[in-house]
Amino acid sequence: MKSLKSYSKNVLKAVLVLLTITLFSPELSASHIVGGGITYKALGGGRYYIETFVLRDCNGASYSSTAETVDAICTSNLRAGWTVHTVSHLAFVAPSPTPFGGPYAGISVTSGSNQLIAEEISSVCDKLLDPNILPSTKCRNRTNVAQGYMKFRFSAIVTLSSCNWWRLGFSPPPARNTGSSNILSGGMYEQVYINTKDYPSNSAPLFNDEYKYAISSCIGQEMSYSAGGTDLDGDSLVFELTCVMQDSTRCANYRTGFSATAPIPGIRMDTNTGLLTFTPRAAGTRYIAYWVKEYDKCSRKIKAKTLRDIKVTTQACTNKVPFATNKFSNLKGKAFLDSKGVINVVNGDKISWDETFIDSNITDSIHFRTTLSDALPGATYEVLAGSNRYVQIVRYTWTANMGKNSNKIFSTFFNDDFCPFPGYSATATELKVLAAINISPKSIGGEGDSLYACIGDTVTVSGSGATRFNWVSISGDP
């Protein structure tokens, strides 16, 4: 075997350059797809709006597909075979005004004579996301340093017959980027199962990962990610870790030390809220997959389940991740916190409570996003003045309304603006709305939902916040 001395200086330089790139670009790969997802909405008459998305690593090869295909099969009638639906590109439209941290104006990508408009969802600070401030990420200029991600959306309206378990899925080409990750398989398959026979009007939840699919984390620092969602149909959601799929039938192969239920060693997932909590111990990319199952709140029969996955990139950090403390301080109104950490409130009562967020870096500030308005219609939150800019108190206020489900869950995402990679975390809050019992006239005397009355008095008793009440007359002294 020849020694290094026998090679030319140019070859040696090339080897050193390649080694440097390999050491400091852990995700360098010819692959450029990092993830995707699928969701649905019932339109009536067996028609469904189907939407998919594909996430591109801006450090990889280009992606410019104007359409993807979704395969569908009724699993209770396999003889009917698969049907193929084409979902076409859906141009991203930025919100106005643009919130801090984006999303900012879409990124134009040329595909032949067509222009695709993608959304940037990079896990970087606002200065790198804002296209009006230079430099930006590789998504807007390939010569820039900061890595980023673009989301391409596709949609179609399809017709699905009555079936107790439709399976819809898609597999965007080419392979998923697995460099320095916890999986070995590069294929990708996203899927959803829908019961159109018993629940023809059911729609998918609003998934939290639509806000931030790819996140950054720091070695040795605990963080939380809210992989939950909000079901506007009032269904009960259950979250379960599962395997990343490499195709329609096979799980991805995991590297030694990782598995479907332990994509990050020591990870925990709250099955009620979808909150993921973990402390990464090594640098690299981690793919986390989970089922979001929808259950009828009364019969407990499963209505649908959707496979979701997210990407976590871990590195050594000088930044400290912000965290939440005093989660339920200053609770006001007729409410109490039970032993499971759930706020119990009577239907129709107005309550408020505070939550404190702290960043150990005194030069940082903390920024928030929340699913509050989706999960608790009419609720508001405000950021109060803390002791300084890196201590923030958020006050939530809500007049309880049971709606379609007495159990309510919302998430609060928070991050600092450390550049280039902010520290991210999240909380999930559970509430239970109790049925209200109203007794009148209150002037008779009594306290709360009880009163003292004299023989011959007229008393009216009414209830709210439930669909059925059983009234029982009890005679005699209490």
Side-chain angles (χ1 to χ4, degrees), residues 300-358:
R300 298 297 298 168
K301 183 176 180 179
I302 191 167
K303 301 170 70 172
K305 65 176 184 178
T306 305
L307 179 67
R308 309 294 289 189
D309 59 53
I310 61 171
K311 176 188 179 184
V312 178
T313 302
T314 302
Q315 56 198 338
C317 303
T318 57
N319 184 33
K320 296 294 184 182
V321 176
F323 59 94
T325 184
N326 294 330
K327 188 174 181 182
F328 298 112
S329 62
N330 198 26
L331 181 60
K332 293 182 178 180
K334 294 182 180 179
F336 66 92
L337 193 68
D338 65 22
S339 60
K340 296 181 179 180
V342 178
I343 296 177
N344 288 250
V345 56
V346 174
N347 189 61
D349 285 350
K350 184 177 181 179
I351 63 170
S352 67
W353 70 97
D354 297 344
E355 189 170 7
T356 302
F357 300 85
I358 298 176

Tab-separated table of all heavy atoms in Angstrom, residues 300-358:
chain	number	residue	atom	x	y	z
A	300	ARG	N	-65.642	5.750	22.015
A	300	ARG	CA	-64.225	5.404	22.061
A	300	ARG	C	-63.798	4.563	20.853
A	300	ARG	O	-62.746	3.931	20.877
A	300	ARG	CB	-63.849	4.684	23.359
A	300	ARG	CG	-64.065	5.508	24.600
A	300	ARG	CD	-63.185	6.740	24.594
A	300	ARG	NE	-61.767	6.395	24.581
A	300	ARG	CZ	-60.806	7.284	24.346
A	300	ARG	NH1	-61.115	8.537	24.050
A	300	ARG	NH2	-59.533	6.928	24.373
A	301	LYS	N	-64.581	4.595	19.810
A	301	LYS	CA	-64.228	3.875	18.587
A	301	LYS	C	-63.266	4.724	17.771
A	301	LYS	O	-63.442	5.932	17.628
A	301	LYS	CB	-65.484	3.579	17.760
A	301	LYS	CG	-65.214	2.761	16.500
A	301	LYS	CD	-66.512	2.429	15.780
A	301	LYS	CE	-66.228	1.617	14.520
A	301	LYS	NZ	-67.494	1.249	13.804
A	302	ILE	N	-62.238	4.076	17.220
A	302	ILE	CA	-61.258	4.825	16.446
A	302	ILE	C	-61.869	5.276	15.125
A	302	ILE	O	-62.555	4.519	14.439
A	302	ILE	CB	-59.977	4.000	16.218
A	302	ILE	CG1	-58.870	4.887	15.643
A	302	ILE	CG2	-60.252	2.764	15.342
A	302	ILE	CD1	-57.492	4.261	15.666
A	303	LYS	N	-61.610	6.540	14.777
A	303	LYS	CA	-62.162	7.129	13.566
A	303	LYS	C	-61.117	7.266	12.455
A	303	LYS	O	-61.441	7.177	11.275
A	303	LYS	CB	-62.751	8.509	13.887
A	303	LYS	CG	-63.851	8.481	14.929
A	303	LYS	CD	-64.250	9.871	15.399
A	303	LYS	CE	-64.974	10.653	14.347
A	303	LYS	NZ	-65.515	11.934	14.894
A	304	ALA	N	-59.880	7.514	12.873
A	304	ALA	CA	-58.799	7.698	11.902
A	304	ALA	C	-57.480	7.688	12.647
A	304	ALA	O	-57.429	7.838	13.874
A	304	ALA	CB	-58.973	9.016	11.143
A	305	LYS	N	-56.403	7.493	11.916
A	305	LYS	CA	-55.063	7.634	12.487
A	305	LYS	C	-54.118	8.111	11.398
A	305	LYS	O	-54.189	7.676	10.248
A	305	LYS	CB	-54.568	6.339	13.129
A	305	LYS	CG	-54.340	5.179	12.184
A	305	LYS	CD	-53.747	3.985	12.951
A	305	LYS	CE	-53.406	2.832	12.014
A	305	LYS	NZ	-52.777	1.698	12.744
A	306	THR	N	-53.232	9.029	11.783
A	306	THR	CA	-52.317	9.648	10.829
A	306	THR	C	-50.886	9.470	11.309
A	306	THR	O	-50.584	9.715	12.482
A	306	THR	CB	-52.615	11.150	10.676
A	306	THR	OG1	-53.991	11.339	10.325
A	306	THR	CG2	-51.728	11.766	9.598
A	307	LEU	N	-50.008	9.052	10.416
A	307	LEU	CA	-48.591	8.933	10.736
A	307	LEU	C	-47.920	10.287	10.524
A	307	LEU	O	-48.057	10.899	9.469
A	307	LEU	CB	-47.933	7.888	9.835
A	307	LEU	CG	-46.425	7.672	10.052
A	307	LEU	CD1	-46.168	7.057	11.424
A	307	LEU	CD2	-45.839	6.777	8.951
A	308	ARG	N	-47.232	10.755	11.533
A	308	ARG	CA	-46.470	12.002	11.440
A	308	ARG	C	-45.028	11.730	11.840
A	308	ARG	O	-44.754	10.778	12.594
A	308	ARG	CB	-47.048	13.080	12.364
A	308	ARG	CG	-48.527	13.304	12.223
A	308	ARG	CD	-48.917	13.880	10.892
A	308	ARG	NE	-48.514	15.269	10.723
A	308	ARG	CZ	-48.903	16.037	9.708
A	308	ARG	NH1	-49.677	15.530	8.754
A	308	ARG	NH2	-48.505	17.301	9.616
A	309	ASP	N	-44.107	12.524	11.358
A	309	ASP	CA	-42.729	12.419	11.833
A	309	ASP	C	-42.077	13.792	11.807
A	309	ASP	O	-42.489	14.685	11.062
A	309	ASP	CB	-41.914	11.380	11.055
A	309	ASP	CG	-41.821	11.663	9.572
A	309	ASP	OD1	-41.418	12.789	9.213
A	309	ASP	OD2	-42.142	10.775	8.766
A	310	ILE	N	-41.078	13.966	12.663
A	310	ILE	CA	-40.348	15.222	12.752
A	310	ILE	C	-38.856	14.930	12.730
A	310	ILE	O	-38.424	13.788	12.912
A	310	ILE	CB	-40.695	16.014	14.028
A	310	ILE	CG1	-40.341	15.198	15.275
A	310	ILE	CG2	-42.150	16.420	14.035
A	310	ILE	CD1	-40.450	15.973	16.568
A	311	LYS	N	-38.076	15.981	12.520
A	311	LYS	CA	-36.625	15.851	12.472
A	311	LYS	C	-35.989	16.740	13.539
A	311	LYS	O	-36.324	17.930	13.641
A	311	LYS	CB	-36.098	16.257	11.092
A	311	LYS	CG	-34.580	16.236	10.971
A	311	LYS	CD	-34.134	16.827	9.644
A	311	LYS	CE	-32.621	16.837	9.529
A	311	LYS	NZ	-32.145	17.480	8.299
A	312	VAL	N	-35.100	16.162	14.344
A	312	VAL	CA	-34.385	16.912	15.375
A	312	VAL	C	-32.898	16.856	15.058
A	312	VAL	O	-32.336	15.768	14.903
A	312	VAL	CB	-34.645	16.329	16.775
A	312	VAL	CG1	-33.859	17.104	17.827
A	312	VAL	CG2	-36.140	16.356	17.107
A	313	THR	N	-32.264	18.013	14.947
A	313	THR	CA	-30.830	18.086	14.715
A	313	THR	C	-30.147	18.557	15.999
A	313	THR	O	-30.479	19.622	16.529
A	313	THR	CB	-30.501	19.060	13.569
A	313	THR	OG1	-31.172	18.636	12.381
A	313	THR	CG2	-29.005	19.114	13.316
A	314	THR	N	-29.219	17.747	16.495
A	314	THR	CA	-28.558	18.035	17.763
A	314	THR	C	-27.103	18.409	17.523
A	314	THR	O	-26.418	17.793	16.700
A	314	THR	CB	-28.626	16.817	18.699
A	314	THR	OG1	-29.992	16.460	18.910
A	314	THR	CG2	-27.981	17.122	20.035
A	315	GLN	N	-26.636	19.402	18.258
A	315	GLN	CA	-25.257	19.844	18.137
A	315	GLN	C	-24.781	20.405	19.480
A	315	GLN	O	-25.587	20.635	20.387
A	315	GLN	CB	-25.148	20.918	17.062
A	315	GLN	CG	-26.062	22.096	17.292
A	315	GLN	CD	-26.264	22.922	16.041
A	315	GLN	OE1	-25.453	22.888	15.130
A	315	GLN	NE2	-27.346	23.666	15.988
A	316	ALA	N	-23.482	20.603	19.601
A	316	ALA	CA	-22.939	21.260	20.793
A	316	ALA	C	-23.306	22.735	20.743
A	316	ALA	O	-23.213	23.366	19.689
A	316	ALA	CB	-21.432	21.079	20.852
A	317	CYS	N	-23.738	23.291	21.876
A	317	CYS	CA	-24.231	24.666	21.905
A	317	CYS	C	-23.546	25.486	22.990
A	317	CYS	O	-23.235	24.964	24.072
A	317	CYS	CB	-25.736	24.697	22.168
A	317	CYS	SG	-26.754	23.777	21.001
A	318	THR	N	-23.362	26.752	22.705
A	318	THR	CA	-22.995	27.691	23.758
A	318	THR	C	-24.251	28.353	24.311
A	318	THR	O	-24.230	28.945	25.385
A	318	THR	CB	-22.048	28.776	23.209
A	318	THR	OG1	-22.681	29.450	22.109
A	318	THR	CG2	-20.745	28.147	22.725
A	319	ASN	N	-25.338	28.232	23.565
A	319	ASN	CA	-26.618	28.805	23.980
A	319	ASN	C	-27.297	27.923	25.021
A	319	ASN	O	-27.135	26.703	25.022
A	319	ASN	CB	-27.525	28.953	22.753
A	319	ASN	CG	-28.833	29.625	23.075
A	319	ASN	OD1	-28.900	30.500	23.945
A	319	ASN	ND2	-29.891	29.241	22.382
A	320	LYS	N	-28.103	28.529	25.898
A	320	LYS	CA	-28.908	27.797	26.859
A	320	LYS	C	-30.376	27.850	26.428
A	320	LYS	O	-30.911	28.916	26.132
A	320	LYS	CB	-28.770	28.394	28.268
A	320	LYS	CG	-27.358	28.293	28.838
A	320	LYS	CD	-26.963	26.844	29.080
A	320	LYS	CE	-25.594	26.754	29.742
A	320	LYS	NZ	-25.170	25.349	29.946
A	321	VAL	N	-31.023	26.673	26.405
A	321	VAL	CA	-32.414	26.589	25.965
A	321	VAL	C	-33.331	27.195	27.028
A	321	VAL	O	-33.196	26.891	28.214
A	321	VAL	CB	-32.804	25.121	25.709
A	321	VAL	CG1	-34.274	25.008	25.334
A	321	VAL	CG2	-31.919	24.524	24.614
A	322	PRO	N	-34.275	28.074	26.645
A	322	PRO	CA	-35.205	28.623	27.629
A	322	PRO	C	-36.120	27.532	28.189
A	322	PRO	O	-36.292	26.476	27.573
A	322	PRO	CB	-36.003	29.656	26.823
A	322	PRO	CG	-35.867	29.231	25.404
A	322	PRO	CD	-34.522	28.581	25.289
A	323	PHE	N	-36.709	27.784	29.347
A	323	PHE	CA	-37.550	26.782	29.987
A	323	PHE	C	-38.719	27.453	30.694
A	323	PHE	O	-38.711	28.662	30.962
A	323	PHE	CB	-36.739	25.939	30.974
A	323	PHE	CG	-36.093	26.735	32.078
A	323	PHE	CD1	-36.728	26.906	33.306
A	323	PHE	CD2	-34.843	27.318	31.890
A	323	PHE	CE1	-36.137	27.643	34.319
A	323	PHE	CE2	-34.239	28.059	32.900
A	323	PHE	CZ	-34.891	28.227	34.120
A	324	ALA	N	-39.756	26.650	30.999
A	324	ALA	CA	-40.954	27.139	31.678
A	324	ALA	C	-40.891	26.761	33.149
A	324	ALA	O	-40.408	25.695	33.518
A	324	ALA	CB	-42.203	26.554	31.042
A	325	THR	N	-41.406	27.659	33.981
A	325	THR	CA	-41.482	27.398	35.414
A	325	THR	C	-42.746	28.050	35.956
A	325	THR	O	-43.361	28.888	35.277
A	325	THR	CB	-40.228	27.944	36.139
A	325	THR	OG1	-40.296	27.583	37.517
A	325	THR	CG2	-40.139	29.453	36.011
A	326	ASN	N	-43.173	27.670	37.165
A	326	ASN	CA	-44.409	28.224	37.743
A	326	ASN	C	-45.542	28.192	36.726
A	326	ASN	O	-46.175	29.199	36.409
A	326	ASN	CB	-44.184	29.660	38.222
A	326	ASN	CG	-43.214	29.736	39.375
A	326	ASN	OD1	-43.114	28.805	40.169
A	326	ASN	ND2	-42.496	30.841	39.478
A	327	LYS	N	-45.827	26.987	36.236
A	327	LYS	CA	-46.739	26.846	35.108
A	327	LYS	C	-48.159	27.308	35.403
A	327	LYS	O	-48.845	27.817	34.521
A	327	LYS	CB	-46.747	25.383	34.645
A	327	LYS	CG	-47.519	25.164	33.357
A	327	LYS	CD	-47.377	23.743	32.854
A	327	LYS	CE	-48.137	23.555	31.551
A	327	LYS	NZ	-48.056	22.177	31.048
A	328	PHE	N	-48.636	27.115	36.639
A	328	PHE	CA	-50.023	27.471	36.949
A	328	PHE	C	-50.089	28.442	38.123
A	328	PHE	O	-50.841	28.247	39.063
A	328	PHE	CB	-50.839	26.217	37.267
A	328	PHE	CG	-50.918	25.250	36.127
A	328	PHE	CD1	-50.287	24.027	36.195
A	328	PHE	CD2	-51.621	25.568	34.978
A	328	PHE	CE1	-50.357	23.130	35.148
A	328	PHE	CE2	-51.697	24.679	33.925
A	328	PHE	CZ	-51.060	23.453	34.002
A	329	SER	N	-49.313	29.493	38.087
A	329	SER	CA	-49.325	30.459	39.177
A	329	SER	C	-50.466	31.456	38.987
A	329	SER	O	-50.977	31.650	37.875
A	329	SER	CB	-47.991	31.198	39.237
A	329	SER	OG	-47.776	31.927	38.041
A	330	ASN	N	-50.866	32.075	40.101
A	330	ASN	CA	-51.865	33.142	40.076
A	330	ASN	C	-53.176	32.700	39.416
A	330	ASN	O	-53.784	33.458	38.648
A	330	ASN	CB	-51.297	34.371	39.353
A	330	ASN	CG	-52.069	35.639	39.662
A	330	ASN	OD1	-52.689	35.753	40.717
A	330	ASN	ND2	-52.039	36.576	38.733
A	331	LEU	N	-53.627	31.481	39.693
A	331	LEU	CA	-54.876	30.956	39.125
A	331	LEU	C	-56.061	31.692	39.739
A	331	LEU	O	-56.238	31.711	40.954
A	331	LEU	CB	-54.980	29.457	39.400
A	331	LEU	CG	-56.220	28.730	38.866
A	331	LEU	CD1	-56.304	28.855	37.348
A	331	LEU	CD2	-56.173	27.252	39.268
A	332	LYS	N	-56.883	32.309	38.882
A	332	LYS	CA	-58.026	33.082	39.350
A	332	LYS	C	-59.308	32.568	38.717
A	332	LYS	O	-59.311	32.109	37.578
A	332	LYS	CB	-57.835	34.568	39.012
A	332	LYS	CG	-56.700	35.232	39.756
A	332	LYS	CD	-56.602	36.711	39.420
A	332	LYS	CE	-55.477	37.380	40.204
A	332	LYS	NZ	-55.376	38.832	39.887
A	333	GLY	N	-60.411	32.692	39.475
A	333	GLY	CA	-61.687	32.195	39.008
A	333	GLY	C	-62.030	30.887	39.676
A	333	GLY	O	-61.267	30.349	40.485
A	334	LYS	N	-63.212	30.358	39.367
A	334	LYS	CA	-63.663	29.102	39.963
A	334	LYS	C	-63.016	27.931	39.230
A	334	LYS	O	-63.624	27.302	38.370
A	334	LYS	CB	-65.183	29.005	39.903
A	334	LYS	CG	-65.899	30.035	40.765
A	334	LYS	CD	-67.406	29.857	40.691
A	334	LYS	CE	-68.122	30.884	41.559
A	334	LYS	NZ	-69.591	30.740	41.480
A	335	ALA	N	-61.779	27.656	39.572
A	335	ALA	CA	-61.026	26.580	38.942
A	335	ALA	C	-60.040	26.022	39.944
A	335	ALA	O	-59.673	26.680	40.912
A	335	ALA	CB	-60.300	27.083	37.700
A	336	PHE	N	-59.614	24.788	39.709
A	336	PHE	CA	-58.606	24.182	40.566
A	336	PHE	C	-57.726	23.267	39.732
A	336	PHE	O	-58.128	22.775	38.664
A	336	PHE	CB	-59.242	23.413	41.733
A	336	PHE	CG	-60.042	22.201	41.315
A	336	PHE	CD1	-59.449	20.937	41.236
A	336	PHE	CD2	-61.393	22.318	41.000
A	336	PHE	CE1	-60.178	19.829	40.856
A	336	PHE	CE2	-62.130	21.195	40.618
A	336	PHE	CZ	-61.527	19.959	40.549
A	337	LEU	N	-56.539	23.023	40.254
A	337	LEU	CA	-55.575	22.155	39.589
A	337	LEU	C	-55.594	20.804	40.282
A	337	LEU	O	-55.359	20.719	41.490
A	337	LEU	CB	-54.184	22.781	39.666
A	337	LEU	CG	-53.085	22.194	38.785
A	337	LEU	CD1	-53.387	22.467	37.323
A	337	LEU	CD2	-51.733	22.798	39.159
A	338	ASP	N	-55.907	19.721	39.538
A	338	ASP	CA	-55.985	18.412	40.170
A	338	ASP	C	-54.608	17.762	40.265
A	338	ASP	O	-53.594	18.343	39.865
A	338	ASP	CB	-56.990	17.500	39.454
A	338	ASP	CG	-56.579	17.147	38.021
A	338	ASP	OD1	-55.383	17.238	37.693
A	338	ASP	OD2	-57.468	16.774	37.231
A	339	SER	N	-54.572	16.557	40.806
A	339	SER	CA	-53.294	15.877	41.066
A	339	SER	C	-52.544	15.511	39.790
A	339	SER	O	-51.347	15.238	39.830
A	339	SER	CB	-53.542	14.611	41.897
A	339	SER	OG	-54.412	13.723	41.201
A	340	LYS	N	-53.236	15.495	38.648
A	340	LYS	CA	-52.605	15.172	37.376
A	340	LYS	C	-52.141	16.419	36.624
A	340	LYS	O	-51.653	16.320	35.499
A	340	LYS	CB	-53.562	14.366	36.501
A	340	LYS	CG	-53.936	13.006	37.084
A	340	LYS	CD	-54.869	12.249	36.138
A	340	LYS	CE	-55.225	10.881	36.697
A	340	LYS	NZ	-56.139	10.136	35.788
A	341	GLY	N	-52.291	17.587	37.256
A	341	GLY	CA	-51.867	18.818	36.615
A	341	GLY	C	-52.856	19.344	35.602
A	341	GLY	O	-52.493	20.143	34.726
A	342	VAL	N	-54.138	18.949	35.708
A	342	VAL	CA	-55.185	19.393	34.792
A	342	VAL	C	-56.003	20.484	35.460
A	342	VAL	O	-56.416	20.348	36.614
A	342	VAL	CB	-56.099	18.224	34.381
A	342	VAL	CG1	-57.215	18.703	33.458
A	342	VAL	CG2	-55.289	17.116	33.713
A	343	ILE	N	-56.234	21.589	34.743
A	343	ILE	CA	-57.082	22.662	35.259
A	343	ILE	C	-58.534	22.258	35.100
A	343	ILE	O	-58.993	21.962	33.995
A	343	ILE	CB	-56.822	23.977	34.507
A	343	ILE	CG1	-55.386	24.460	34.736
A	343	ILE	CG2	-57.802	25.056	34.945
A	343	ILE	CD1	-55.030	25.713	33.966
A	344	ASN	N	-59.284	22.232	36.202
A	344	ASN	CA	-60.711	21.927	36.172
A	344	ASN	C	-61.480	23.226	36.333
A	344	ASN	O	-61.233	23.990	37.278
A	344	ASN	CB	-61.080	20.964	37.299
A	344	ASN	CG	-60.572	19.553	37.049
A	344	ASN	OD1	-61.335	18.627	36.791
A	344	ASN	ND2	-59.262	19.377	37.131
A	345	VAL	N	-62.407	23.490	35.417
A	345	VAL	CA	-63.171	24.729	35.439
A	345	VAL	C	-64.624	24.434	35.080
A	345	VAL	O	-64.904	23.552	34.261
A	345	VAL	CB	-62.571	25.766	34.463
A	345	VAL	CG1	-62.493	25.203	33.051
A	345	VAL	CG2	-63.361	27.066	34.484
A	346	VAL	N	-65.546	25.165	35.711
A	346	VAL	CA	-66.976	24.978	35.452
A	346	VAL	C	-67.371	25.720	34.179
A	346	VAL	O	-66.919	26.843	33.933
A	346	VAL	CB	-67.811	25.474	36.647
A	346	VAL	CG1	-69.311	25.421	36.332
A	346	VAL	CG2	-67.511	24.635	37.880
A	347	ASN	N	-68.197	25.087	33.373
A	347	ASN	CA	-68.641	25.671	32.114
A	347	ASN	C	-69.256	27.057	32.350
A	347	ASN	O	-70.104	27.238	33.215
A	347	ASN	CB	-69.683	24.756	31.460
A	347	ASN	CG	-70.034	25.185	30.058
A	347	ASN	OD1	-69.173	25.224	29.180
A	347	ASN	ND2	-71.303	25.505	29.827
A	348	GLY	N	-68.778	28.034	31.572
A	348	GLY	CA	-69.292	29.395	31.678
A	348	GLY	C	-68.504	30.295	32.596
A	348	GLY	O	-68.693	31.527	32.574
A	349	ASP	N	-67.613	29.744	33.425
A	349	ASP	CA	-66.824	30.557	34.347
A	349	ASP	C	-65.596	31.143	33.642
A	349	ASP	O	-64.985	30.494	32.789
A	349	ASP	CB	-66.373	29.736	35.554
A	349	ASP	CG	-67.505	29.489	36.533
A	349	ASP	OD1	-68.579	30.116	36.376
A	349	ASP	OD2	-67.334	28.666	37.447
A	350	LYS	N	-65.219	32.350	34.051
A	350	LYS	CA	-64.044	32.998	33.495
A	350	LYS	C	-62.857	32.778	34.420
A	350	LYS	O	-62.951	33.018	35.621
A	350	LYS	CB	-64.285	34.496	33.317
A	350	LYS	CG	-63.131	35.241	32.657
A	350	LYS	CD	-63.468	36.707	32.452
A	350	LYS	CE	-62.322	37.453	31.761
A	350	LYS	NZ	-62.658	38.880	31.531
A	351	ILE	N	-61.749	32.320	33.846
A	351	ILE	CA	-60.555	32.054	34.639
A	351	ILE	C	-59.335	32.674	33.970
A	351	ILE	O	-59.356	33.018	32.781
A	351	ILE	CB	-60.310	30.538	34.835
A	351	ILE	CG1	-60.064	29.846	33.476
A	351	ILE	CG2	-61.465	29.893	35.569
A	351	ILE	CD1	-59.592	28.414	33.599
A	352	SER	N	-58.257	32.789	34.735
A	352	SER	CA	-56.971	33.214	34.194
A	352	SER	C	-55.870	32.593	35.035
A	352	SER	O	-56.082	32.241	36.201
A	352	SER	CB	-56.839	34.740	34.184
A	352	SER	OG	-56.790	35.249	35.505
A	353	TRP	N	-54.708	32.431	34.442
A	353	TRP	CA	-53.549	31.918	35.160
A	353	TRP	C	-52.278	32.366	34.443
A	353	TRP	O	-52.318	32.768	33.284
A	353	TRP	CB	-53.600	30.392	35.293
A	353	TRP	CG	-53.384	29.649	34.009
A	353	TRP	CD1	-52.229	29.095	33.535
A	353	TRP	CD2	-54.392	29.362	32.998
A	353	TRP	NE1	-52.438	28.492	32.315
A	353	TRP	CE2	-53.752	28.643	31.964
A	353	TRP	CE3	-55.747	29.651	32.874
A	353	TRP	CZ2	-54.429	28.213	30.831
A	353	TRP	CZ3	-56.421	29.219	31.738
A	353	TRP	CH2	-55.757	28.511	30.744
A	354	ASP	N	-51.171	32.308	35.159
A	354	ASP	CA	-49.894	32.766	34.620
A	354	ASP	C	-48.923	31.607	34.462
A	354	ASP	O	-49.005	30.597	35.160
A	354	ASP	CB	-49.254	33.806	35.548
A	354	ASP	CG	-50.099	35.067	35.680
A	354	ASP	OD1	-50.994	35.265	34.843
A	354	ASP	OD2	-49.851	35.835	36.626
A	355	GLU	N	-48.001	31.784	33.518
A	355	GLU	CA	-46.921	30.829	33.297
A	355	GLU	C	-45.644	31.637	33.074
A	355	GLU	O	-45.652	32.601	32.302
A	355	GLU	CB	-47.223	29.936	32.098
A	355	GLU	CG	-46.273	28.770	31.917
A	355	GLU	CD	-46.777	27.782	30.863
A	355	GLU	OE1	-47.780	28.078	30.192
A	355	GLU	OE2	-46.139	26.732	30.721
A	356	THR	N	-44.561	31.249	33.739
A	356	THR	CA	-43.313	31.997	33.668
A	356	THR	C	-42.288	31.264	32.818
A	356	THR	O	-42.116	30.042	32.945
A	356	THR	CB	-42.736	32.223	35.077
A	356	THR	OG1	-43.704	32.913	35.877
A	356	THR	CG2	-41.464	33.054	35.019
A	357	PHE	N	-41.614	32.003	31.938
A	357	PHE	CA	-40.598	31.452	31.048
A	357	PHE	C	-39.284	32.190	31.292
A	357	PHE	O	-39.262	33.413	31.403
A	357	PHE	CB	-41.025	31.599	29.588
A	357	PHE	CG	-42.315	30.902	29.264
A	357	PHE	CD1	-43.533	31.538	29.487
A	357	PHE	CD2	-42.316	29.618	28.754
A	357	PHE	CE1	-44.726	30.905	29.188
A	357	PHE	CE2	-43.509	28.976	28.459
A	357	PHE	CZ	-44.723	29.624	28.677
A	358	ILE	N	-38.200	31.419	31.346
A	358	ILE	CA	-36.892	31.986	31.697
A	358	ILE	C	-35.843	31.570	30.676
A	358	ILE	O	-35.820	30.425	30.221
A	358	ILE	CB	-36.462	31.529	33.105
A	358	ILE	CG1	-37.471	32.024	34.152
A	358	ILE	CG2	-35.060	32.017	33.435
A	358	ILE	CD1	-37.161	31.535	35.555
